[in-house]
Amino acid sequence: MNISVIIPTYRPQGYLWQCLDSLVAQTLNKECFEVILVLNGCKAPWYEDIQDYIAKQNHHIVLLHTEQSGVSNARNMALDVARGEYITFVDDDDYLSPSYLEELLSVASPTHLALSNSIAIDESLSPIASVYEQSYNRLSKQGDMPFQRARKFFSGPWMKLIHRDMIGSRRFDIQFKNGEDALFMFLISDRFQTVSFTSPKAIYYRRMRTGGAHMMSFSQTWCNAMRLMRAYSSIYWKHPREYSFRFYTTRLLGAIHQIIDSM
C-alpha cells in the first residue's frame, strides 16, 4: 500500500460526497492507496449514509467512528491504523484533481516532502485569491529547495505527501482546537529538509467557508496563542539542534499575529 488518505469528518454535508468522488476518480491504481474516513461526534444518520456510499464503490475505504469530536483525535485514530508508506490529509469539504495522488507520489521520498498546487474556492466553487496558489506559482519551477522557503505551506498537513517515518509515533495535540495543524507540522519538521512541487495538474481544492468552529473571542485567541507559543518552545528547546531556529521564530510570530488580527 503506497498511500493512506486520512479524512476527518463531523456532521458532514453534501460536500463529503464530492471529496470522496474525487478520490475514487484518482488516476493512481486503486490498489495503491486506501482512504481512511473518521466520523467523529454524532453517528446517526451519517454513518449509515457513508456505509451506503462505500458499498457502491470498489475501493479501499475504511470507515471509523468515535464519539469524541475533534479533528485532531480523528486524525490520530486514522494514523494508528494507516497501512500506507505515505500519508496525506484531506479535509472533508475539500477535493482533489484526478492526478493528485499519482503526481505527489512521483515527487515524494522518505526524506523529501512533496507539495501540490492549491486553488481556493468559495461556496459556489468559484476560484478566489489564495496565498498558497501565489506561493506555488512563485516556487514550483525552482526544483528541490529547503523547506523553509515554502513555509507558507506548513500552516497545516494538507497539500502534501508525508512519508510515515517522518511522522512515526508523533500525533496531533488534541488539547488545541485552533493552530493544531501548524503545531503538528512543526513537530515533524526535524525529519525532513527539502521539498519540491508537483506539476500544476495536481490540485488541492480548498473550500473557504465563512464562520466555523474556530471563531474565538479575543481572550480565547490570546490564551490559545500563548499556549501555542509554549508548545512550540517546548518542542524546539528540547532538541534545538534538530529543529530550524528560523522556522521556530516564524511559528512564534504566527501566533502573535493571531492575537493582533483578533483585536
Side-chain angles (χ1 to χ4, degrees):
M1 186 71 67
N2 295 106
I3 300 174
S4 292
V5 182
I6 292 176
I7 308 173
T9 186
Y10 174 77
R11 296 177 180 269
Q13 300 178 33
Y15 47 69
L16 175 62
W17 313 124
Q18 184 178 25
C19 176
L20 293 175
D21 285 347
S22 75
L23 283 158
V24 172
Q26 289 296 299
T27 56
L28 184 65
N29 188 302
K30 65 183 179 181
E31 298 300 323
C32 294
F33 72 99
E34 64 178 355
V35 177
I36 306 175
L37 183 64
V38 185
L39 177 65
N40 60 95
C42 298
K43 190 173 186 178
W46 301 283
Y47 191 85
E48 290 188 0
D49 291 342
I50 296 170
Q51 282 186 317
D52 290 343
Y53 177 93
I54 294 173
K56 298 175 183 177
Q57 306 297 330
N58 182 22
H59 202 81
H60 297 291
I61 302 178
V62 179
L63 176 59
L64 306 177
H65 174 258
T66 174
E67 293 290 344
Q68 180 178 342
S69 61
V71 64
S72 292
N73 179 64
R75 287 174 178 155
N76 290 343
M77 285 183 61
L79 284 171
D80 288 342
V81 301
R83 297 181 295 155
E85 181 182 3
Y86 291 89
I87 306 294
T88 191
F89 296 91
V90 180
D91 281 354
D92 65 350
D93 52 352
D94 301 334
Y95 62 96
L96 314 172
S97 65
S99 63
Y100 182 81
L101 295 180
E102 185 174 6
E103 293 216 25
L104 278 174
L105 188 60
S106 71
V107 173
S109 80
T111 59
H112 184 81
L113 209 62
L115 305 178
S116 77
N117 189 11
S118 175
I119 294 178
I121 54 174
D122 60 21
E123 295 285 4
S124 65
L125 305 186
S126 299
I128 56 179
S130 164
V131 295
Y132 297 116
E133 187 175 8
Q134 293 169 2
S135 294
Y136 175 86
N137 291 335
R138 179 170 54 87
L139 298 171
S140 60
K141 296 180 181 180
Q142 298 182 22
D144 296 358
M145 68 190 71
F147 80 87
Q148 294 93 335
R149 291 188 60 194
R151 61 182 179 272
K152 288 188 183 297
F153 281 80
F154 288 86
S155 62
W158 329 277
M159 302 169 285
K160 52 184 65 71
L161 193 63
I162 308 170
H163 194 274
R164 66 182 303 118
D165 288 346
M166 296 178 185
I167 298 174
S169 61
R170 300 172 183 188
R171 297 294 183 262
F172 290 82
D173 192 332
I174 63 173
Q175 298 179 74
F176 291 94
K177 303 299 181 185
N178 189 285
E180 74 284 357
D181 295 330
L183 182 62
F184 175 77
M185 292 310 303
F186 180 75
L187 177 64
I188 67 171
S189 67
D190 63 331
R191 294 186 176 175
F192 54 85
Q193 296 296 323
T194 57
V195 301
S196 59
F197 290 88
T198 63
S199 83
K201 294 187 297 181
I203 305 171
Y204 186 101
Y205 291 95
R206 193 170 184 209
R207 196 184 309 258
M208 308 303 290
R209 292 191 288 158
T210 57
H214 292 337
M215 298 292 288
M216 298 190 295
S217 66
F218 171 77
S219 62
Q220 290 173 323
T221 300
W222 186 88
C223 291
N224 189 74
M226 296 300 294
R227 290 173 60 233
L228 277 173
M229 286 191 282
R230 286 195 294 269
Y232 282 124
S233 297
S234 176
I235 294 168
Y236 177 80
W237 289 110
K238 284 180 180 178
H239 303 282
R241 295 183 179 180
E242 304 296 327
Y243 290 91
S244 163
F245 180 75
R246 180 183 178 187
F247 192 40
Y248 165 60
T249 55
T250 63
R251 300 305 89 179
L252 297 184
L253 289 172
I256 293 171
H257 278 299
Q258 288 182 14
I259 298 174
I260 296 172
D261 292 343
S262 68
M263 292 181 173

